[in-house]
Amino acid sequence: MRVKDILLSNKNQAFLAFIAKVVEAILELLVPIAMATLIDRGINMQDREMIIRQGILLAILPILGYLSALVCQYLASKVSQDIGTSLRKEMFAQLNRIDRKQLDQLTASSLVLRIENDTQNLQLAVALMIRLGSRVPVLLLGSIIMAFYVSPELAPIFIIGGFIIGAILIFITFYNNKQNGRIQKKWINYRVLFVRISRGLGTSGHSRMRIMKLSDLKRRMCI
């Protein structure tokens, strides 16, 4: 079974989670409109009925958005964990089918990297794609439309500021991912050494010292 087949095995639940997150984003975008209507047509015109109606709407929208978010979070977590479990089972089954010579060629560190880190990163990517991949485009386009709807004069300032902040966040994200990749490549070899020391030397003072040094090295790399 290929990774693509594993990813597509939960497409129905992933689609439902995607729809739930889109609904949540749309409900969030409706809040400024309801607030503007409350102020312009309710408070300014002293329309009691409008104030009550918009107040009820402002109470209902967050509740519906929260429920949609719960549905999305649950389904996204379930899909990502199911994919990770299936992928690990397939990898272990494949490892059991190859001979000892091939296992030695792959090396223990690369196997640990594939089974733990790569699978974990794939799970995280699936969960983030479901949760943010559906939410961000809707909020991006919707916020621009809502900005022009609420205040056409201030909308250009809002859009320019949003693009500047977005560029800064993209730079930070790429830099952080690059640094994290370097740390993971270094740490996977130390992790294998950590296990060998623990098994080979037991609980002797020398082994505890080596383990403490490795743990401190991991802390300094992350900082």
Side-chain angles (χ1 to χ4, degrees):
M1 181 180 290
R2 298 177 298 176
V3 176
K4 179 181 177 181
D5 298 328
I6 296 176
L7 293 175
L8 293 177
S9 61
N10 295 275
K11 58 183 178 181
N12 293 331
Q13 292 181 340
F15 180 75
L16 291 177
F18 182 89
I19 296 299
K21 183 57 70 173
V22 170
V23 171
E24 179 200 355
I26 293 175
L27 291 173
E28 287 186 16
L29 292 173
L30 293 177
V31 172
I33 298 178
M35 182 63 69
T37 304
L38 174 64
I39 296 173
D40 296 338
R41 301 181 183 178
I43 298 176
N44 291 341
M45 296 183 179
Q46 296 182 354
D47 188 342
R48 182 182 179 85
E49 184 179 351
M50 178 63 69
I51 294 175
I52 295 175
R53 185 163 59 247
Q54 293 301 316
I56 295 174
L57 182 61
L58 287 174
I60 293 176
L61 289 177
I63 295 175
L64 294 178
Y66 177 72
L67 294 177
S68 299
L70 287 180
V71 173
C72 176
Q73 296 293 336
Y74 172 77
L75 292 176
S77 299
K78 188 175 185 304
V79 169
S80 63
Q81 293 299 322
D82 289 344
I83 289 175
T85 301
S86 300
L87 186 58
R88 289 188 183 93
K89 287 182 179 179
E90 291 294 329
M91 293 179 68
F92 277 116
Q94 181 64 27
L95 290 176
N96 290 329
R97 286 193 291 265
I98 62 179
D99 55 26
R100 183 60 181 270
K101 183 178 180 180
Q102 290 176 314
L103 285 176
D104 294 336
Q105 292 176 349
L106 292 173
T107 71
S109 61
S110 66
L111 294 176
V112 173
L113 181 65
R114 288 178 173 86
I115 295 175
E116 290 190 8
N117 293 64
D118 291 350
T119 304
Q120 185 68 25
N121 290 336
L122 181 61
Q123 287 183 214
L124 182 61
V126 171
L128 291 178
M129 182 59 66
I130 295 174
R131 294 167 181 166
L132 299 180
S134 55
R135 175 187 175 87
V136 172
V138 175
L139 288 180
L140 180 62
L141 297 177
S143 61
I144 294 175
I145 296 174
M146 292 299 104
F148 280 101
Y149 177 82
V150 174
S151 179
E153 295 80 8
L154 297 178
I157 300 176
F158 169 77
I159 294 173
I160 294 174
F163 278 115
I164 294 174
I165 296 174
I168 295 174
L169 292 178
I170 290 174
F171 172 77
I172 295 175
T173 300
F174 276 103
Y175 178 79
N176 182 63
N177 290 339
K178 187 176 181 180
Q179 292 295 106
N180 187 59
R182 292 176 180 175
I183 292 174
Q184 293 296 337
K185 289 180 180 179
K186 291 181 180 180
W187 177 244
I188 191 65
N189 294 325
Y190 291 121
R191 183 184 298 178
V192 175
L193 180 60
F194 182 94
V195 174
R196 290 175 178 173
I197 292 174
S198 300
R199 291 181 177 179
L201 300 179
T203 57
S204 65
H206 179 67
S207 66
R208 287 196 297 270
M209 184 64 64
R210 292 286 300 275
I211 291 173
M212 290 175 63
K213 289 182 179 180
L214 290 177
S215 299
D216 184 67
L217 178 62
K218 169 67 172 177
R219 182 184 62 83
R220 286 188 281 109
M221 285 193 301
C222 292
I223 294 176

